[in-house]
Structures are given as structure tokens and as C-alpha cells.
Amino acid sequence: SSGGKACGTRYPDPPLALEEIEPCVNWKKDSSVTDCVLTTWGQWTECTALCNGGLKHRNRGIRTPPTAGGIPCQGSLEELVPCNLGQCSDQKERDCKFSPWNDWSHCDSH
């Protein structure tokens, strides 16, 4: 309002850019590129059924996450497979039995 030239443009002209983005020169040289590394597969769990079909599973984790454009993690972190698919050979009643407790997981703040 004091007579100076206004910033920007007037409608319908496009607005002036207030920010510019361009890639860094040699950005990969300046940063440590790390590819994803997965842990080895854990042991298979026991089958969920003695007969007539059940499931068992195993899992793995991410040992090193990718950084600075490294190769992302590939593949599943858990596998499920059918097991004990055969018919039960007897129809006797069975009492329920629990398997032993697993080891404690890491402490969580929740």
C-alpha cells in the first residue's frame, strides 16, 4: 500500500514459486546406501492339529532396514503351511492339552 511493487502475480496468471527443489549432486556418494537384510527363518511351530489338517508357521524379521535408496526388503516375514492333513485314525475322545509356554517376548511399554 506504500507504492511498492507487489510480490507474485495477479489472477489468472500462475503464482510465483516460493520454493524450488532439485536433486543434490552426488547424493549417493554423500550418504551411506544400505540394502535391506532379513534375519534367517525361525523354527517351525508345532502343527495346530494332530490330524484332519492344521497349520504351522515360522517367521523372520528385518535385521537392517534399507536407507538412502537401498534395495527394499523383499519377501514375506511369515510363512504358513498346512500340516497333518491325514484323517484321524480313531474317533476316541481326547482331553485338551496345552503346549508349553513360549519364551517371554521383549518388554513393551503399552
Side-chain angles (χ1 to χ4, degrees), residues 1-3 9-10 14 18 30 39-40 43 46 55 60 64 68 78 80 84 86-87 103-104 108-109:
S1 68
S2 60
T9 57
R10 293 181 182 241
L18 299 177
D30 298 336
T39 62
T40 58
Q43 296 293 317
E46 289 187 35
L55 291 172
R60 62 183 175 177
T64 308
E78 184 176 26
L80 291 167
N84 295 341
Q87 292 289 325
D103 290 338
W104 285 101
D108 195 345
S109 63

Side-chain angles (χ1 to χ4, degrees), residues 11-86:
Y11 183 81
D13 294 334
L16 293 176
L18 299 177
E19 180 180 68
E20 289 184 333
I21 299 174
E22 64 181 50
C24 300
V25 177
N26 295 329
W27 68 273
K28 283 196 173 187
K29 261 191 218 176
D30 298 336
S31 61
S32 177
V33 176
T34 305
D35 295 338
C36 174
V37 177
L38 298 174
T39 62
T40 58
W41 286 105
Q43 296 293 317
W44 287 103
T45 62
E46 289 187 35
C47 189
T48 58
L50 296 174
C51 51
N52 290 338
L55 291 172
K56 60 183 180 177
H57 78 273
R58 66 180 182 168
N59 54 32
R60 62 183 175 177
I62 298 173
R63 176 169 303 171
T64 308
T67 61
I71 297 172
C73 298
Q74 306 277 324
S76 175
L77 298 179
E78 184 176 26
E79 288 184 327
L80 291 167
V81 294
C83 54
N84 295 341
L85 301 175

